[in-house]
């Protein structure tokens, strides 16, 4: 392909950009490489309601250096990006200095030390799930392990009753996976729309306004659910984050308002229920497809430092998030004219495979040094749960492969992947 | 070799404390700090300090006089 053809291909890739389609996922990394080379800040279709507020542009940023500069510049690029079902969630959609005050409250609950204390429990719970899973010759790794493991742990930590975890997962699937290739999310969203008397397409698809109403109704149900839990904990504290939040002091001065408490719990819910499950699913799917890489992982996992580096490399290689920001005022960014309220999106999938930053970026290299990946985000909004996520990934992957070093994709049941916030919703494996 | 963490850049990813827990310790909020007595890095820890510098996603770790043997 000559330069002009590559340029034309890049222009149409940007024009048609939609990370949530199966078609896109098939060529995801080639497309990002083409854009990074030809159009590193590419105009893409705007799908946010920001258009109504004056900004009509959306841009995709695929170079590591551009994204890291932008994500560190919170004055120029706000985290409050679009309409939220109720209010912007805390702290993810809040900018400094308020963001800093919220994070000061929360950081200390999620430190490495605090999460190390959970390790024995993480191990025993992972063992229990894995033993049950591998009692069968064929199993869905996502349903039996990748979903329940981090979800139940997170419910316990925050104080959501563990017996509610399936209900919480269903609400999460409606909010996040109504139209991204996740068949369970799509079914649940369609069912909810029917309950609300809204129109559902013959194929189960929802029009954008119907989907917004469905999301709104689930968000309200969640806020009601959180409100009830807050009331219970006000009556009697427990050792959980809901209780800690009630007793927290903003800037050491005032308690959080009811609205702040609800918006924080909503963010915990959105951020805690999907991410580790997605990475576990992608990693194990990759291992099922590439036994040599799996064996290489099994050989190194007895060495703690090599295992630590390997987990970081797996997070880089299987990056799941697209990080959105809103331009706060007209500015020139790397020779592109951005207008106030334009949306910019940094796909970590693209930035973490920038050859300027990572040598042979498409190669999974367990001892990669340097490895300054942004799989856990970059700048002040760095993933709050990073130390929990690392431990869950390390413990889950280590124990799985001790118990079951050999497995393969099921001969007849296909995996199901979803896009946007990327992940795996169905992953049937069988013992090899 | 001497080592410093730029507090303006550190976002508390915690890679340095994983790579070289002897030299880097987290504060109550998880941000990295150099153990004061080890700002001049003992020779046997230089390699892991370099590793920490190479893995820091925010490039917050600065090695001074970092030339071999300097």
């Amino acid at each position: 392909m000559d330069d002009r053809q590559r340029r034309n291909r890049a222009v149409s890739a940007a024009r048609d950009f939609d990370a949530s389609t199966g078609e896109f996922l098939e060529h995801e990394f080639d497309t990002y490489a083409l854009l990074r080379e030809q159009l590193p800040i590419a105009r893409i279709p705007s799908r946010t309601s920001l258009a109504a507020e004056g900004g009509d542009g959306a841009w995709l940023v695929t170079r590591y250096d551009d994204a890291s500069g932008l994500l560190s510049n919170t004055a120029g690029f706000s985290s409050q990006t679009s309409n939220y079902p109720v209010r912007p969630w805390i702290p993810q959609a809040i900018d400094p200095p308020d963001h800093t005050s919220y994070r000061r409250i929360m950081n200390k609950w999620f430190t490495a030390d605090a999460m190390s204390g959970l390790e024995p429990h993480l191990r025993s719970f992972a063992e229990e799930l894995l033993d049950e899973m591998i009692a069968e010759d064929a199993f869905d790794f996502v349903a039996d392990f990748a979903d329940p493991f981090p979800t139940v742990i997170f419910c316990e930590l925050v104080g959501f009753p563990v017996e509610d975890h399936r209900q919480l997962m269903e609400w999460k699937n409606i909010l996040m996976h109504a139209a991204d290739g996740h068949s369970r999310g799509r079914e649940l969203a369609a069912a909810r729309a029917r309950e609300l008397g809204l129109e559902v397409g013959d194929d189960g698809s929802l029009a954008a306004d119907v989907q917004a109403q469905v999301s709104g109704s689930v968000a309200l149900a969640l806020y009601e659910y959180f409100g009830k839990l807050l009331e219970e904990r006000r009556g009697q504290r427990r050792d959980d984050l809901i209780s800690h939040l009630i007793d927290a002091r903003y800037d050491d001065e005032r308690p959080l308002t009811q609205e702040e408490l609800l918006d924080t719990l909503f963010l915990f819910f959105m951020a805690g229920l999907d991410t580790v499950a997605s990475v576990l699913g992608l990693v194990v799917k990759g291992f099922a497809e590439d036994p040599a890489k799996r064996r290489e992982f099994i050989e190194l996992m007895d060495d703690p430092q090599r295992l630590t580096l390997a987990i970081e490399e797996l997070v880089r290689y299987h990056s799941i998030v697209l990080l959105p920001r809103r331009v706060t005022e007209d500015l020139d960014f790397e020779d592109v004219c951005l207008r106030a309220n334009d949306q910019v999106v940094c796909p970590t999938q693209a930035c973490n495979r920038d050859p300027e930053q990572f040598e042979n970026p498409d190669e999974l290299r367990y001892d990669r040094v340097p490895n300054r990946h942004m799989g856990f985000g970059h700048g002040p909004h760095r993933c709050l749960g990073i130390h929990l996520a690392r431990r869950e990934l390390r413990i889950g992957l280590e124990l799985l492969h001790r118990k079951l070093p050999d497995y393969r994709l099921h001969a007849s049941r296909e995996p199901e992947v979803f896009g946007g916030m990327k992940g795996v919703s169905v992953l049937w494996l069988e013992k090899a | 070799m001497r080592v410093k963490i730029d507090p303006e850049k550190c976002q508390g990813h915690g890679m340095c404390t994983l790579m070289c827990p002897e030299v880097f310790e987290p504060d109550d909020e998880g941000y990295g700090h150099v153990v004061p007595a080890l700002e001049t890095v003992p020779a046997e820890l230089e390699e892991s300090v370099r590793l920490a510098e190479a893995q820091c996603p925010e490039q917050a770790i600065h090695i001074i006089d970092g030339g071999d043997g300097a």
Side-chain angles (χ1 to χ4, degrees):
Chain A
M1 207 176 0
D2 67 26
D3 249 18
R4 176 189 293 264
Q5 283 172 312
R6 286 185 70 78
R7 177 86 184 171
N8 288 340
R9 290 270 299 264
V11 169
S12 54
R15 190 194 53 214
D16 302 335
F17 180 77
D18 180 353
S20 67
T21 65
E23 200 187 346
F24 176 83
L25 288 175
E26 261 177 60
H27 310 286
E28 178 187 17
F29 296 110
D30 291 338
T31 303
Y32 282 137
L34 182 70
L35 286 165
R36 197 189 302 113
E37 174 195 293
Q38 297 288 333
L39 290 172
I41 299 169
R43 183 84 184 239
I44 55 170
S46 173
R47 276 183 308 274
T48 76
S49 50
L50 281 176
E53 293 163 29
D56 59 357
W59 305 88
L60 193 71
V61 176
T62 43
R63 283 189 183 161
Y64 179 96
D65 280 348
D66 291 344
S68 74
L70 181 164
L71 295 167
S72 302
N73 175 5
T74 55
F77 298 93
S78 167
S79 288
Q80 192 171 326
T81 53
S82 57
N83 279 356
Y84 297 88
V86 181
R87 284 176 299 274
W89 36 65
I90 296 173
Q92 192 234 358
I94 306 292
D95 296 313
D98 294 347
H99 171 262
T100 316
S101 301
Y102 290 121
R103 283 292 287 251
R104 289 189 74 95
I105 297 174
M106 293 160 201
N107 281 342
K108 44 179 176 283
W109 302 331
F110 286 93
T111 58
D113 275 356
M115 295 302 121
S116 291
L118 281 181
E119 279 199 33
H121 177 57
L122 294 179
R123 282 194 170 269
S124 65
F125 183 52
E127 293 226 23
E128 190 186 309
L129 289 172
L130 289 168
D131 287 340
E132 211 169 299
M133 178 181 87
I134 61 174
E136 306 291 329
D137 289 330
F139 47 84
D140 177 355
F141 175 73
V142 172
D144 292 346
F145 187 76
D147 268 352
F149 175 49
T151 306
V152 169
I153 295 292
F154 197 69
C155 286
E156 292 170 345
L157 193 67
V158 177
F160 300 145
V162 168
E163 62 272 21
D164 294 345
H165 87 268
R166 283 177 210 286
Q167 171 67 68
L168 288 164
M169 290 288 280
E170 303 226 315
W171 278 333
K172 182 268 297 177
N173 286 333
I174 299 176
L175 282 173
M176 298 183 74
H177 304 304
D180 63 359
H182 189 303
S183 54
R184 183 75 185 139
R186 185 184 168 100
E187 281 164 24
L188 289 165
R192 185 95 184 181
R194 288 193 192 94
E195 274 169 37
L196 296 169
L198 300 168
E199 197 181 334
V200 178
D202 292 338
D203 58 351
S205 64
L206 307 179
D209 61 321
V210 172
Q211 201 184 314
Q213 288 182 64
V214 166
S215 297
S217 87
V218 171
L220 288 178
L222 273 162
Y223 270 73
E224 201 175 305
Y225 176 83
F226 299 149
K228 234 176 58 206
L229 290 174
L230 283 165
E231 202 179 301
E232 278 174 32
R233 291 300 188 287
R234 281 207 177 90
Q236 187 172 8
R237 302 287 198 277
R238 291 195 199 163
D239 183 17
D240 57 29
L241 293 186
I242 299 179
S243 304
H244 294 337
L245 271 172
I246 292 172
D247 291 327
R249 290 287 177 277
Y250 184 92
D251 284 346
D252 294 323
E253 282 167 8
R254 60 166 181 86
L256 298 175
T257 64
Q258 178 74 359
E259 290 190 347
E260 287 174 314
L261 294 169
L262 291 169
D263 298 342
T264 304
L265 288 175
F266 194 75
L267 183 272
F268 281 178
F269 165 83
M270 295 291 281
L273 258 47
D274 222 30
T275 42
V276 171
S278 294
V279 179
L280 282 171
L282 288 167
V283 169
V284 170
K285 177 171 173 286
F287 281 168
E289 291 163 342
D290 188 348
K293 279 290 166 196
R294 182 174 73 230
R295 279 192 290 275
E296 209 187 308
F297 177 82
I298 291 169
E299 277 162 29
L300 68 77
M301 70 186 189
D302 286 323
D303 178 329
Q305 184 156 39
R306 291 179 71 197
L307 181 58
T308 299
L309 291 175
I311 296 294
E312 294 305 307
E313 172 67 352
L314 287 165
V315 171
R316 179 194 74 84
Y317 191 80
H318 294 290
S319 299
I320 56 165
V321 289
L322 296 103
L323 301 168
R325 294 292 186 267
R326 180 177 50 85
V327 178
T328 55
E329 55 187 355
D330 295 4
L331 87 158
D332 274 344
F333 184 73
E334 303 297 319
D335 295 331
V336 175
C337 226
L338 304 180
R339 307 295 299 272
N341 288 326
D342 279 0
Q343 180 159 22
V344 290
V345 178
C346 308
T348 54
Q349 296 87 344
C351 302
N352 279 340
R353 293 196 183 207
D354 183 345
E356 292 285 316
Q357 180 66 215
F358 303 96
E359 195 181 287
N360 292 332
D362 293 319
E363 194 187 320
L364 181 62
R365 224 184 245 184
Y366 295 123
D367 57 355
R368 182 178 291 280
V369 177
N371 189 357
R372 301 187 174 105
H373 73 83
M374 48 176 78
F376 292 113
H378 189 89
H381 288 275
R382 179 270 298 166
C383 170
L384 178 61
I386 189 170
H387 305 294
L388 176 60
R390 277 189 187 130
R391 278 160 183 78
E392 288 176 343
L393 293 172
R394 170 164 53 75
I395 289 168
L397 292 172
E398 187 204 316
L399 289 176
L400 166 68
H401 293 97
R402 282 199 202 291
K403 289 172 184 288
L404 186 71
D406 270 326
Y407 53 84
R408 59 181 173 231
L409 291 181
H410 194 277
S412 58
R413 300 181 183 195
E414 295 272 314
E416 180 183 276
V417 293
F418 55 88
M421 274 282 293
K422 229 175 112 181
V424 183
S425 35
V426 178
L427 182 60
W428 276 89
L429 302 174
E430 56 190 10
K431 293 179 179 170
Chain B
M1 179 205 277
R2 290 171 58 229
V3 65
K4 278 188 173 172
I5 289 185
D6 180 346
E8 295 289 306
K9 284 191 172 176
C10 175
Q11 302 293 350
H13 291 253
M15 277 313 292
C16 57
T17 55
L18 284 172
M19 294 294 108
C20 186
E22 296 88 348
V23 171
F24 302 101
E25 58 181 10
D27 65 17
D28 292 349
E29 288 183 42
Y31 297 100
H33 292 268
V34 176
V35 173
L38 298 178
E39 274 173 18
T40 300
V41 180
E44 69 273 19
L45 293 174
E46 285 189 0
E47 198 190 326
S48 19
V49 168
R50 281 186 214 284
L51 188 56
E53 189 269 337
Q55 305 303 84
C56 174
E58 308 285 344
Q59 302 197 49
I61 297 176
H62 299 296
I63 292 176
I64 310 142
D65 311 325
D68 285 330

